[in-house]
Amino acid sequence: MSRINKNVILALLTLTSSAFLLFQLYYYKHYLSAKNGASLSKHKGSRVGFDGTQWEGWFRIAENMGFQCLKIESKDPRLDGIDSLSGTEIPLHYICKLASHAIHLVVFYERSGNYLWHGHLRLKGHIDKKFVPFRKLQFGRYPGAFDRPELQQITVDGLEVLIPKDPMHFLEEVPHSRFIECRYKEARAFFQQYLDDNTVEAMAFRKSAKELLQLAAKTLRKLGVRFWLSSGTCLGWYRQCNIISYSKDVDLGIFIKDYKSDIISAFQDAGLPLKHKFGKVEDSLELSFQGKDDVKLDIFFFYEETDHMWNGGTQAKTGKKFKYLFPKFTLCWTEFVDMKVHVPCETIEYIEANYGKTWKIPVKTWDWKRSPPNVRPNGVWPISEWDEVIQLY
């Protein structure tokens, strides 16, 4: 192997810091890949696909060139749902320094939702906090999720490197990439206290709800409309890492500022007829679509005020309006039913607003007009507007 000039590497670092983020990807195959027909008994305790020794070789080469290097590892979150493998550690970050320059390598992993993930830059107790100015290493400070980019090879100062074919899209993702893991440990504790419903009916509902969520996500992404898991669907993700079997619907939230007039027609074209439309764009809009097997999709539109957010509700028989108040929140990514989807970053505040402090206790009887602690009366629709604001199909 020919010797790589240190000054070339340093020049490359200077170039990338001012022009665009340069990064290398490698794919770490999922332990239990359905498309490959893998099984737990076949792959338990082994890694499939990428040979991790390649990165260790890179690590040693850098040290031989005079760099001081640091490897940051943590447990593999993709295995948290598997007790026997949940302690397995993987490399997340490599940091190598030479004089006043440093290379920060953020390792990306493939997730089952067909996206890429990187872990957070968390320093363990034994790590030298003065090794580099860690506060200046902004990329990778928190876990992140990204679309899988198409890569292209370029040559910079004689070095062949891979970059995203659309670097601007990747850079635009960075500030909105923060990722939250499902809480598998808490979910296991929940099911120890409340047995999971594995009846044929419950399993059939979860299957239909998953397919409905995937179809809704595909439809909204084609439109370029942001959405997140809301209400009972969000509670199921946070509390038990699964769809609540007795919820009987899929709930999504959308900011009213992201509303597009062709949302209804797009869902109808996808095979989901409109079940009801309540409210109007300026006030308390709510849409419901009929999926197969009597599972419906409810979309709640959120309005932003100075110090809170809210979504509306309408009682069809009386025209009464209701308002559900939430503290302001931002959106993070998570993985749910093999999908990369948004959830409120301030998840616990969001759920407690909707379900109170006792959200850990399953409640199968729920009155949407009285049960939520954040519901407030919001007047009555004028009868003259009922044809517009109360549409049932």
Side-chain angles (χ1 to χ4, degrees):
M1 178 182 294
S2 59
R3 183 179 180 82
I4 301 176
N5 189 286
K6 299 174 186 177
N7 292 327
V8 171
I9 294 180
L10 298 180
L12 176 61
L13 291 171
T14 303
L15 173 65
T16 55
S17 66
S18 61
F20 51 80
L21 179 63
L22 178 67
F23 72 108
Q24 286 276 53
L25 298 174
Y26 77 82
Y27 301 110
Y28 179 83
K29 296 299 182 183
H30 196 270
Y31 283 77
L32 303 176
S33 174
K35 62 185 177 182
N36 292 329
S39 66
L40 179 61
S41 61
K42 188 177 295 184
H43 294 295
K44 180 177 177 180
S46 63
R47 297 181 180 179
V48 183
F50 183 80
D51 181 2
T53 60
Q54 295 179 39
W55 284 115
E56 298 302 325
W58 179 90
F59 200 67
R60 289 192 296 271
I61 290 171
E63 289 181 324
N64 291 337
M65 293 175 62
F67 284 87
Q68 293 177 279
C69 294
L70 179 68
K71 178 171 67 174
I72 297 175
E73 296 180 304
S74 188
K75 66 177 183 178
D76 189 339
R78 297 165 299 174
L79 304 180
D80 278 353
I82 308 173
D83 287 332
S84 59
L85 298 176
S86 60
T88 303
E89 291 206 339
I90 53 175
L92 301 179
H93 298 260
Y94 291 90
I95 301 173
C96 292
K97 70 173 183 177
L98 181 65
S100 60
H101 298 273
I103 298 174
H104 179 200
L105 177 66
V106 181
V107 185
F108 280 70
Y109 292 89
E110 186 179 18
R111 299 284 292 242
S112 60
N114 195 32
Y115 65 96
L116 299 179
W117 167 90
H118 68 74
H120 54 182
L121 184 62
R122 175 177 291 179
L123 304 183
K124 296 183 179 180
H126 67 279
I127 293 179
D128 181 7
K129 305 300 188 295
K130 298 180 180 179
F131 184 75
V132 293
F134 286 99
R135 291 185 178 180
K136 294 184 178 181
L137 302 180
Q138 295 301 319
F139 183 56
R141 180 167 295 278
Y142 301 102
F146 292 78
D147 296 336
R148 289 181 60 170
E150 183 180 352
L151 301 179
Q152 63 178 348
Q153 184 170 295
I154 65 170
T155 302
V156 180
D157 287 346
L159 293 177
E160 292 185 350
V161 295
L162 293 175
I163 67 168
K165 198 168 186 178
D166 184 358
M168 288 307 300
H169 176 71
F170 177 81
L171 291 174
E172 289 168 356
E173 286 188 280
V174 172
H176 309 289
S177 63
R178 191 164 181 175
F179 185 90
I180 302 175
E181 291 289 350
C182 179
R183 308 181 323 143
Y184 285 106
K185 180 179 178 181
E186 289 79 2
R188 284 194 289 267
F190 174 82
F191 286 122
Q192 287 178 355
Q193 186 172 4
Y194 306 100
L195 294 180
D196 195 7
D197 185 354
N198 290 318
T199 61
V200 173
E201 294 77 13
M203 294 173 67
F205 167 74
R206 288 197 183 105
K207 180 177 181 295
S208 297
K210 175 180 177 180
E211 292 173 354
L212 179 57
L213 177 56
Q214 291 173 335
L215 180 57
K218 182 179 179 181
T219 303
L220 290 172
R221 284 168 183 159
K222 280 184 179 179
L223 293 174
V225 174
R226 290 183 303 169
F227 69 94
W228 65 91
L229 305 182
S230 190
S231 303
T233 306
C234 183
L235 175 63
W237 162 75
Y238 191 72
R239 186 176 69 187
Q240 55 210 66
C241 298
N242 207 339
I243 294 170
I244 298 175
S245 61
Y246 54 84
S247 61
K248 304 306 179 187
D249 57 18
V250 171
D251 302 311
L252 300 181
I254 295 177
F255 294 122
I256 195 62
K257 63 183 179 182
D258 293 330
Y259 171 81
K260 292 188 177 180
S261 59
D262 52 353
I263 283 180
I264 293 177
S265 60
F267 275 104
Q268 290 175 330
D269 291 344
L272 300 175
L274 186 63
K275 185 176 177 66
H276 73 239
K277 175 176 180 269
F278 294 152
K280 48 189 175 181
V281 175
E282 311 90 76
D283 183 9
S284 305
L285 183 63
E286 175 189 338
L287 301 176
S288 182
F289 298 90
Q290 185 62 61
K292 68 176 186 179
D293 300 325
D294 210 30
V295 181
K296 64 186 179 74
L297 170 70
D298 291 332
I299 299 181
F300 306 102
F301 289 86
F302 280 65
Y303 299 78
E304 184 173 359
E305 304 290 348
T306 303
D307 58 352
H308 68 279
M309 293 183 180
W310 62 276
N311 73 280
T314 295
Q315 187 177 30
K317 292 181 179 180
T318 64
K320 289 183 179 180
K321 299 167 60 181
F322 300 88
K323 179 182 286 189
Y324 302 84
L325 307 181
F326 293 84
K328 286 196 170 184
F329 58 89
T330 54
L331 297 181
C332 287
W333 292 110
T334 193
E335 183 173 310
F336 184 61
V337 293
D338 298 324
M339 291 176 56
K340 172 183 168 236
V341 293
H342 274 128
V343 292
C345 298
E346 299 77 12
T347 317
I348 187 64
E349 293 84 357
Y350 188 89
I351 288 176
E352 286 187 353
N354 218 176
Y355 296 99
K357 298 287 186 180
T358 60
W359 56 269
K360 293 182 181 180
I361 302 173
V363 177
K364 296 186 178 182
T365 302
W366 188 259
D367 184 339
W368 61 272
K369 304 179 297 299
R370 297 183 180 88
S371 298
N374 62 340
V375 66
R376 303 289 185 274
N378 193 30
V380 181
W381 290 109
I383 294 179
S384 60
E385 295 185 12
W386 280 24
D387 287 345
E388 177 190 0
V389 301
I390 304 175
Q391 299 181 20
L392 301 172
Y393 299 90

